Amino acid sequence: MYRWYLALCGLLLALLPIRAHAQTAAPPTVVKLAGTTPGRVYAGTICGAYEQAVGDGRWVKIGGLDDQIVDLVQLKNDALVAIGGGKVFRRAPGEAWQAANIDVGSARALAVDPTGERVYMLAGSSSYAVFRSDDAGRTWRILTSTTADAAPFDLAVARDITTGQDVVLFDFGLSGRVGGSVLMRSLDGGATWGELPTSADPSIRLRLGSIFFDSRTFSFYIHASKPNDPTNRLYRLAATGSTLEEVGIPADVQTGGISALTTYPDTMVIAGPKGVFVGPIGGGANAFRRYEQGLEGAQVLDLITTSAPRVGTAIYAGTTRGVFTGNPSAVDNWFGVSTGLAACPSQGPSPFDRIAPFPDSAQRRYFPETGHALSYEFKRFWERNGGLAVFGYPLSEEFVERNVDLGQDFTTQYFERERFEFHPENREPYRVLLGRLGDELLRSQGRDWRNEDAPNNPFPNSACQTFSVGGQQRSVCGPFLQYWRAHGLEFDGRRGTSFNESLALFGLPLTMPRVEKNPDGSEVLTQWFERARFEYHPTNPDPYKVLLGRLGAEVLRARGVQVP
């Protein structure tokens, strides 16, 4: 049972001197992995793609594409197709990338049929189109499309074992469907399409996200949530079935989301912002256990299961710190295998560079304090929900960044205290969503708030409200509770702030209040929330006794970005 573990340990020990001297900079973020052919694995990073012979231990850059990879798939005979730099690329074995003969700047997702002979592509931003290539990405033909106000999410392909036909599944948000998404399927390789119900109750329409295909059980797994319910859910759909069956997932996945999923013999591995978990397929939420020892705080963005003669079956994880590999049936540790993944060179203007000033208008506003601007929906959201006091100044321009919860790319902008994401698939007031920077920063510091003790309430004889968070009880009391209740996102147009509006702005409390040293070096009473950090400064005049931490600035500094 430990053959894989012993072989890999010997390989890693042999490579330690190489890693210590040759790779002085951190490896790039790996957003996509591919490796269906035994013996080879491919990594799509934020600055191009790499390949590795499994067990050889060193990655080699594939030339011809130096932009961020959006998606990457492997076909039979080691042919590759990728989305990157606003184009579709193809690559024959041993050659460099070549731009494919298709002009689709909005390509979002790729999927390969189980034989590796055909590749499907989902494209669009405010509409959708599905394409198919039968010649490894050389030529493409459109299968279905719409000009309606639709935001495509993800695409997956299975096989009908009775007919031998490809089963193609994709989902998208449609503004006319209140609070929900649409699930489309073809049972004949894209010739005809039909909509699948997402719920037995037609009044409940799920909000769908990433789709994962499990070739071992011929099932799709779909990341989703219910309208007006932030809880993340996972549904199973048989390849040719018509009913979505909810799958039990750990509490931290329910609150944190799913960024990647793969299966191992009789085993499922799920990754999200709140950790990596492994459990038996169909075993239920309580059957999962944590599986993240050795990841060193890296967030997992993609997972694949592959095999090789010398190594056996293994799981590869693409993360914010390169590539790791593991085997949950033999050992609980992950091992870093990023030798050869060079740190990305700086390329072109950065969204964090100051821009030239311009006159303000109703649509755009320039901030000389940081040299950045606010525009359109982000500007309206910022002004409507607290502005400078709540979010701070903008620290970047708008740019496309991957949401690790959903595994999808969204228009993003950073502020001193928050991160905005634009979700055109949502109806108002949910088109602009906020990042969970509090949880991200705690994880980057190596703090597991679930295991932290709960000190006494520092505000005796004051009102408290208790929340159940990740199986722990967390209370918000005194001036922190007053501040939490007094601020929130504007949802209903009514005076005052509702519980849901406060929850949408700050999230749930992750820690109890305790004295901590903030980045300025001051020791202050501090409490962390999913999207904020409260600091108590009793000597300040009202209403400045409770201040918000500059989480957006701290996240960027942790990435090496110079911010004011």
Side-chain angles (χ1 to χ4, degrees):
M1 182 173 69
Y2 293 92
R3 177 173 59 88
W4 174 91
Y5 172 61
L6 294 174
L8 184 59
C9 283
L11 175 65
L12 291 173
L13 288 172
L15 291 173
L16 281 176
I18 297 176
R19 295 186 64 197
H21 294 89
Q23 189 165 317
T24 57
T29 295
V30 176
V31 295
K32 294 298 298 185
L33 294 169
T36 55
T37 299
R40 301 205 71 80
V41 64
Y42 301 90
T45 78
I46 59 175
C47 53
Y50 292 75
E51 63 179 330
Q52 179 194 97
V54 175
D56 287 349
R58 188 168 186 85
W59 296 91
V60 178
K61 180 77 177 288
I62 303 173
L65 173 55
D66 297 321
D67 295 296
Q68 175 169 337
I69 301 294
V70 175
D71 207 350
L72 170 70
V73 293
Q74 178 192 18
L75 290 83
K76 68 176 184 179
N77 300 324
D78 283 345
L80 299 176
V81 177
I83 301 169
K87 297 180 180 179
V88 181
F89 289 82
R90 54 175 297 274
R91 186 245 188 179
E95 298 180 0
W97 290 106
Q98 294 182 342
N101 185 26
I102 185 172
D103 184 14
V104 183
S106 58
R108 297 181 62 87
L110 298 166
V112 176
D113 80 291
T115 68
E117 297 176 348
R118 292 169 294 281
V119 59
Y120 295 80
M121 177 170 61
L122 178 64
S125 55
S126 59
S127 61
Y128 72 75
V130 179
F131 300 83
R132 190 177 90 182
S133 173
D134 298 332
D135 54 7
R138 291 181 180 86
T139 60
W140 297 81
R141 63 186 178 93
I142 194 166
L143 301 177
T144 183
S145 64
T146 183
T147 58
D149 187 6
F153 294 147
D154 205 2
L155 171 80
V157 181
R159 170 61 63 89
D160 185 337
I161 58 176
T162 60
T163 66
Q165 296 266 34
D166 290 345
V167 179
V168 188
L169 189 74
F170 74 96
D171 55 1
F172 64 93
L174 190 61
S175 62
R177 308 294 182 95
V178 177
S181 307
V182 178
L183 189 62
M184 298 292 292
R185 183 178 65 182
S186 171
L187 297 172
D188 50 17
T192 59
W193 297 86
E195 180 180 344
L196 287 176
T198 60
S199 172
D201 183 351
S203 66
I204 299 177
R205 185 171 291 275
L206 295 176
R207 303 164 68 89
L208 306 174
S210 300
I211 305 175
F212 311 93
F213 176 62
D214 176 18
S215 60
R216 303 176 192 279
T217 61
F218 293 95
S219 299
F220 296 104
Y221 288 94
I222 305 168
H223 180 198
S225 63
K226 290 185 176 181
N228 302 318
D229 182 352
T231 303
N232 293 276
R233 300 171 186 268
L234 184 65
Y235 292 87
R236 176 184 176 273
L237 173 68
T240 58
S242 58
T243 302
L244 273 65
E245 174 189 359
E246 186 168 357
V247 177
I249 54 178
D252 282 339
V253 177
Q254 295 174 20
T255 58
I258 301 172
S259 58
L261 181 151
T262 192
T263 58
Y264 195 81
D266 302 319
T267 304
M268 176 181 291
V269 183
I270 304 176
K274 290 193 174 182
V276 184
F277 303 85
V278 60
I281 294 177
N286 296 329
F288 283 85
R289 57 182 172 83
R290 286 194 171 274
Y291 178 47
E292 51 195 19
Q293 185 173 344
L295 287 177
E296 303 172 351
Q299 292 190 6
V300 175
L301 306 181
D302 198 17
L303 291 166
I304 62 167
T305 304
T306 188
S307 61
R310 290 171 52 195
V311 176
T313 303
I315 295 175
Y316 275 73
T319 81
T320 52
R321 297 184 181 179
V323 180
F324 292 77
T325 190
N327 182 331
S329 68
V331 63
D332 279 343
N333 273 22
W334 291 91
F335 298 92
V337 286
S338 294
T339 300
L341 288 177
C344 296
S346 58
Q347 297 178 351
S350 165
F352 305 105
D353 293 341
R354 297 176 71 97
I355 65 171
F358 59 82
D360 291 347
S361 67
Q363 290 76 35
R364 302 191 70 202
R365 177 180 172 184
Y366 181 78
F367 292 84
E369 293 84 355
T370 59
H372 292 290
L374 264 174
S375 304
Y376 301 102
E377 296 231 22
F378 281 175
K379 178 176 180 290
R380 289 191 289 270
F381 183 90
W382 187 89
E383 293 172 341
R384 188 171 60 239
N385 291 290
L388 188 63
V390 173
F391 303 117
Y393 291 112
L395 298 180
S396 77
E397 297 302 298
E398 296 180 6
F399 67 104
V400 175
E401 186 173 65
R402 174 144 298 199
N403 178 310
V404 296
D405 290 12
L406 301 177
Q408 298 175 25
D409 297 323
F410 295 99
T411 299
T412 301
Q413 187 167 14
Y414 278 83
F415 297 80
E416 290 182 282
R417 300 183 183 93
E418 252 303 346
R419 179 180 65 222
F420 289 8
E421 287 181 0
F422 183 54
H423 290 250
E425 74 277 8
N426 293 350
R427 293 177 64 87
E428 289 288 3
Y430 306 103
R431 291 169 72 88
V432 178
L433 301 180
L434 302 179
R436 300 178 66 256
L437 299 188
D439 186 60
E440 288 182 29
L441 273 172
L442 287 176
R443 287 177 57 83
S444 70
Q445 296 171 9
R447 288 179 59 177
D448 186 351
W449 54 265
R450 305 164 193 81
N451 296 329
E452 292 188 359
D453 60 353
N456 295 328
N457 173 22
F459 305 111
N461 304 317
S462 63
C464 295
Q465 183 166 347
T466 301
F467 300 78
S468 179
V469 188
Q472 305 293 325
Q473 298 297 310
R474 297 288 186 256
S475 296
V476 184
C477 304
F480 283 173
L481 180 61
Q482 294 172 16
Y483 192 92
W484 194 90
R485 288 176 171 175
H487 298 80
L489 302 184
E490 178 52 58
F491 282 171
D492 53 18
R494 302 173 183 173
R495 296 185 61 183
T497 304
S498 69
F499 174 87
N500 286 334
E501 289 173 333
S502 297
L503 184 66
L505 177 58
F506 299 125
L508 295 168
L510 302 181
T511 68
M512 290 292 288
R514 71 181 70 230
V515 174
E516 298 183 15
K517 181 177 291 187
N518 67 17
D520 295 332
S522 302
E523 292 190 348
V524 294
L525 191 65
T526 302
Q527 186 166 19
W528 290 79
F529 295 76
E530 290 180 287
R531 301 182 182 92
R533 182 181 66 232
F534 288 12
E535 296 179 0
Y536 184 53
H537 297 259
T539 60
N540 287 0
D542 289 328
Y544 306 109
K545 293 186 184 299
V546 176
L547 301 179
L548 298 179
R550 299 177 73 242
L551 301 191
E554 293 169 32
V555 166
L556 294 181
R557 285 198 183 107
R559 297 185 186 179
V561 177
Q562 297 295 322
V563 297

